Amino acid sequence: MKHKLANTYLILVFIILYAPIIFLIAYSFSQGETMTNYHGFTWRHYQTLFSDARMLAIVANTLLIALLSSLIATLIGTLGALSITRTTKRVTRESLLTLNNVLMVSPDVIIGASFLIFFTMLKIPLGFGTVLMSHIAFEIPIVVLMVLPRLREMSRSLLDAAQDLGATTRQLLTQVIIPFISPGIFAGFFMALTYSLDDFAVTFFVTGNGFSTLSVEIYSRARQGINLEINALSGVMFLFSLLLVAGYYWIQQASQKRRHRKREVTS
Amino acid sequence: MTQPLITLRNVTKRYGNHTILKNINLTLESGKFYTLLGPSGCGKTTILRAIAGFMSVSEGDVLFAGQRINEVPANKRNVNTVFQDYALFPHLTVAENVAFGLTLKKVAKAEIAERVAKALKLVQLAGYGDRAISELSGGQQQRIAIARAIVMAPKVLLLDEPLSALDAKLRRQMQYELRDLQQRLGITFLFVTHDQEEALAMSDEIFVMNQGEVLQSGSPVDIYDEPINHFVADFIGESNILPAKMIEDFQVAFGGHQFECADAGIPDNEPVEVVIRPEDLTLTTLDQAKLTVTIDTQLFRGDYYEIAATDTLGNDWLIHSVNPAEDGETIGITFRPQDLHVMRFGEKEAEFDARLETYEELEDDGVDET
């Protein structure tokens, strides 16, 4: 009985969480122009979406920004995490971590506004470059936080052992440290990717006239009134994020399976 | 004498104001099993790290086959280490772990495979090559760690308390295997432990350490039978240690009586300490007794009884006897002169050795009955 109640509760929660998304996607197939009534099935909104060159360009921009910024942020963040753990002085290490965490928790609006002030002060024209830079900036702390725990798990003697067996500092990094922390690096990369894809607040401040990302574009279109093309776009984005999750899951499964296969050979 | 493999000459290590190693001198010869024995924090692991190259020494020289290697980094030294926590690479399989060093050296693939297979066979884990590290038990991981080090064919293998994480039975088994492995490979082992039993069972030579100093070095028998001071006597095995006075050569007084002993070269009437191992004490009748004691308690230990007793002056005695005694019984104990060992206060190893030399020949044809 108790078990049943818990299950019902869980199902209810998920229905409430997913209902708006499903509602939105369902109307993307409606023949009407508004979301007041469902008027029968059509692909029309998807056709408009895929013939909307401006929208497609924005999607491409958004993906480009997300991929590029998360790649660079992963690189910088991993190096940062490495140097934080290498810091022997406790005070320095703790303050570096705190500075990192403050960036994590401070509101996006503040970060966005400060970036805007920063860029205008330096007279950097707003556009692709500024959006990329600010995305990299707020993704770095995420990557650092994902990589640090793995680095901490690595015992000092593991490095000693590699050195003992003849590894140079470079080989230490490529043969031992990077493989060991790679789950953390992957997690950091995917987190950064999703953060970049759905960021609105920071991007809103630093996009110039000619440049826009999806979240900003959807926001500005939604202000002009509901357009079912947005619903179609949401449907595509939802599918995309599902693929992303599936992809991440697949990578994890594959690496587990590889280990598993090795085991089967012997036993 | 052949060229010593490793020499530490006046090695000192300080961290800030804290001195970890005080003027260490030691020599390791080729093909022997050495043990650094001491309580935790005595600096034994620090010596190992200095030889492996993970740490630089503050003063003194580390020599390898006569060459000073203070500045040589760890990855260029011809020594390998087995770590206390094994330090196996979790992202690699067993075979990849063992092959790690050879792969870095860019040894040919076929040769790597052959040497890895041989090393795995040596540690009795042939056929485990494709397993993941996480699938192995503690004892198996231990063997892989050893295989990973010996596959590099080092001149010296350093072992940092490698058996401390194993259960008692496995530890005993590994003691035999390590000793056997060392003799088959013929390479020098330097083994670090705080377990005196382990040290006595496996070593050719033991260095007993405390507080950053080597107190005594020698064969297990020497160290057990002739400990240099109170610390060594107490740390290695069980012992009865009593305050005594040297009357003259081969005569020592304690417990209110004067006894014949096997030590000499100490000034007359100097206050000393006497060690008697519990197994050297024999229960006897009162008329044959050298000392009279009253039995307090006894514990049955399987192959012997461990008896706690008190003598007439209130000194506590620990006796290992094959036969039981009665609680509260007053009984005599006896011992042979050579079972007594006299220790001077504050005597250094060099002085101790020199003193032994002066009378040991004399002892061989005179006092010693065995």
Side-chain angles (χ1 to χ4, degrees):
Chain A
M1 184 61 208
K2 210 173 169 189
H3 203 66
K4 221 172 185 176
L5 208 71
N7 274 345
T8 328
Y9 173 76
L10 201 68
I11 291 166
L12 206 71
V13 166
F14 274 112
I15 287 175
I16 293 171
L17 284 176
Y18 276 89
I21 301 174
I22 291 164
F23 185 71
L24 200 73
I25 294 172
Y27 268 98
S28 73
F29 297 107
S30 166
Q31 279 176 345
E33 287 302 323
T34 57
M35 282 171 65
T36 41
N37 279 310
Y38 194 81
H39 293 284
F41 182 83
T42 177
W43 286 105
R44 186 162 55 90
H45 303 298
Y46 286 89
Q47 278 163 355
T48 16
L49 174 69
F50 285 112
S51 55
D52 186 345
R54 178 184 152 81
M55 188 55 109
L56 290 182
I58 286 171
V59 171
N61 276 338
T62 311
L63 290 178
L64 186 66
I65 289 272
L67 279 173
L68 212 55
S69 67
S70 47
L71 270 178
I72 298 172
T74 305
L75 192 71
I76 301 175
T78 306
L79 291 178
L82 280 172
S83 64
I84 285 178
T85 39
R86 275 181 71 117
T87 317
T88 39
K89 247 181 148 179
R90 210 188 121 87
V91 185
T92 334
R93 195 175 56 228
E94 292 298 317
S95 17
L96 278 173
L97 254 181
T98 313
L99 284 176
N100 185 66
N101 292 346
V102 166
L103 273 183
M104 260 314 277
V105 296
S106 55
D108 281 357
V109 181
I110 310 278
I111 295 181
S114 59
F115 271 126
L116 180 62
I117 297 165
F118 179 68
F119 289 136
T120 36
M121 209 173 66
L122 292 177
K123 299 208 169 52
I124 298 173
L126 298 180
F128 179 82
T130 51
V131 174
L132 183 66
M133 275 191 273
S134 48
H135 276 221
I136 292 170
F138 75 72
E139 285 164 14
I140 288 172
I142 302 164
V143 177
V144 170
L145 277 189
M146 301 303 279
V147 174
L148 265 184
R150 278 301 282 182
L151 272 174
R152 291 217 173 117
E153 270 174 42
M154 196 167 63
S155 81
R156 172 71 227 177
S157 60
L158 216 56
L159 301 182
D160 283 346
Q163 243 187 329
D164 191 68
L165 294 166
T168 58
T169 315
R170 190 202 181 89
Q171 286 167 330
L172 218 59
L173 194 70
T174 57
Q175 311 266 332
V176 181
I177 301 177
I178 302 276
F180 190 87
I181 62 172
S182 62
I185 298 178
F186 270 116
F189 174 74
F190 276 99
M191 280 291 266
L193 199 69
T194 49
Y195 265 70
S196 170
L197 277 179
D198 68 16
D199 176 71
F200 170 74
V202 176
T203 318
F204 185 68
F205 279 96
V206 293
T207 45
N209 263 334
F211 189 79
S212 183
T213 66
L214 260 183
S215 49
V216 176
E217 180 72 10
I218 292 175
Y219 170 76
S220 59
R221 286 197 187 190
R223 272 162 56 104
Q224 291 157 10
I226 300 145
N227 180 343
L228 290 190
E229 192 189 331
I230 300 294
N231 292 35
L233 181 61
S234 310
V236 174
M237 290 301 290
F238 186 70
L239 202 69
F240 180 72
S241 44
L242 275 185
L243 284 178
L244 214 66
V245 172
Y248 183 63
Y249 187 74
W250 183 77
I251 288 175
Q252 277 199 326
Q253 286 291 305
S255 69
Q256 249 168 32
K257 217 179 262 166
R258 202 166 52 233
R259 269 184 224 144
H260 199 75
R261 211 173 36 240
K262 278 177 182 168
R263 183 180 336 172
E264 278 172 353
V265 170
T266 51
S267 55
Chain B
M1 200 179 97
T2 51
Q3 166 101 305
L5 204 51
I6 285 187
T7 311
L8 297 192
R9 199 189 287 150
N10 305 326
V11 166
T12 296
K13 176 68 184 173
R14 286 185 211 93
Y15 285 111
N17 292 327
H18 206 62
T19 309
I20 311 285
L21 297 178
K22 293 172 198 157
N23 199 26
I24 300 285
N25 286 290
L26 59 85
T27 311
L28 308 183
E29 280 168 38
S30 176
K32 283 195 177 176
F33 197 121
Y34 294 92
T35 301
L36 287 167
L37 175 65
S40 52
C42 71
K44 52 194 194 300
T45 298
T46 315
I47 290 186
L48 213 66
R49 293 179 67 80
I51 296 174
F54 303 137
M55 182 205 80
S56 60
V57 299
S58 309
E59 279 168 33
D61 301 316
V62 182
L63 305 174
F64 184 88
Q67 302 282 314
R68 188 172 182 274
I69 55 163
N70 284 34
E71 319 305 332
V72 178
N75 54 9
K76 299 257 159 53
R77 296 191 186 188
N78 198 2
V79 296
N80 286 105
T81 312
V82 177
F83 292 85
Q84 188 171 8
D85 63 352
Y86 317 144
L88 296 172
F89 306 119
H91 59 280
L92 302 178
T93 63
V94 167
E96 285 166 343
N97 261 283
V98 178
F100 189 83
L102 297 175
T103 315
L104 291 182
K105 268 177 141 184
K106 302 216 161 50
V107 175
K109 277 223 170 96
E111 194 193 335
I112 292 182
E114 192 192 318
R115 280 169 73 174
V116 167
K118 211 172 135 202
L120 285 177
K121 206 171 158 207
L122 264 179
V123 296
Q124 300 174 16
L125 285 178
Y128 279 67
D130 290 319
R131 302 229 181 161
I133 296 302
S134 54
E135 292 170 53
L136 302 183
S137 69
Q140 290 171 331
Q141 292 190 12
Q142 169 66 71
R143 287 156 196 255
I144 297 303
I146 294 168
R148 188 178 63 175
I150 58 175
V151 79
M152 303 299 292
K155 288 267 169 32
V156 180
L157 187 67
L158 308 172
L159 302 109
D160 186 5
E161 307 212 16
L163 307 185
S164 61
L166 304 179
D167 63 63
K169 201 172 168 193
L170 200 54
R171 197 154 63 215
R172 293 217 145 196
Q173 190 192 337
M174 283 305 288
Q175 289 175 10
Y176 280 107
E177 280 185 28
L178 274 180
R179 180 71 185 153
D180 184 50
L181 196 64
Q182 187 267 334
Q183 281 170 344
R184 264 193 291 164
L185 295 172
I187 59 179
T188 306
F189 275 36
L190 180 58
F191 186 89
V192 161
T193 184
H194 59 260
D195 184 336
Q196 45 104 5
E197 237 175 86
E198 230 165 73
L200 293 174
M202 295 195 287
S203 320
D204 289 316
E205 191 169 341
I206 300 177
F207 300 93
V208 185
M209 292 189 65
N210 190 34
Q211 297 183 335
E213 285 178 291
V214 174
L215 298 176
Q216 189 174 11
S217 60
S219 72
V221 174
D222 282 352
I223 286 184
Y224 189 81
D225 286 345
E226 289 169 346
I228 188 170
N229 61 21
H230 192 115
F231 177 84
V232 176
D234 201 34
F235 192 75
I236 296 182
E238 287 182 286
S239 48
N240 296 293
I241 303 175
L242 294 118
K245 197 157 106 178
M246 204 68 194
I247 303 300
E248 54 179 64
D249 282 359
F250 306 115
Q251 288 292 323
V252 65
F254 62 90
H257 301 275
Q258 189 172 328
F259 298 99
E260 191 185 337
C261 67
D263 296 83
I266 302 169
D268 293 353
N269 294 321
E270 185 180 287
V272 290
E273 280 180 311
V274 161
V275 191
I276 312 175
R277 298 293 182 183
E279 66 273 17
D280 290 336
L281 292 168
T282 314
L283 298 181
T284 184
T285 53
L286 286 173
D287 52 310
Q288 288 185 344
K290 288 197 172 177
L291 280 166
T292 310
V293 296
T294 309
I295 308 293
D296 296 327
T297 55
Q298 54 182 346
L299 295 174
F300 179 56
R301 291 284 189 193
D303 43 356
Y304 63 89
Y305 286 88
E306 187 175 286
I307 300 168
T310 316
D311 69 9
T312 41
L313 292 175
N315 295 315
D316 288 326
W317 290 86
L318 192 68
I319 305 157
H320 289 175
S321 167
V322 180
N323 303 313
E326 298 259 336
D327 279 11
E329 183 187 4
T330 302
I331 200 165
I333 50 174
T334 184
F335 43 82
R336 299 173 305 168
Q338 66 266 35
D339 295 333
L340 294 182
H341 172 67
V342 176
M343 303 183 297
R344 298 178 73 188
F345 290 100
E347 190 171 44
K348 291 285 172 210
E349 198 182 357
E351 302 157 18
F352 177 71
D353 289 342
R355 181 165 64 81
L356 285 188
E357 297 248 323
T358 58
Y359 69 85
E360 241 165 19
E361 288 161 26
L362 200 70
E363 186 185 61
D364 283 343
D365 25 75
V367 183
D368 201 336
E369 302 161 13
T370 46

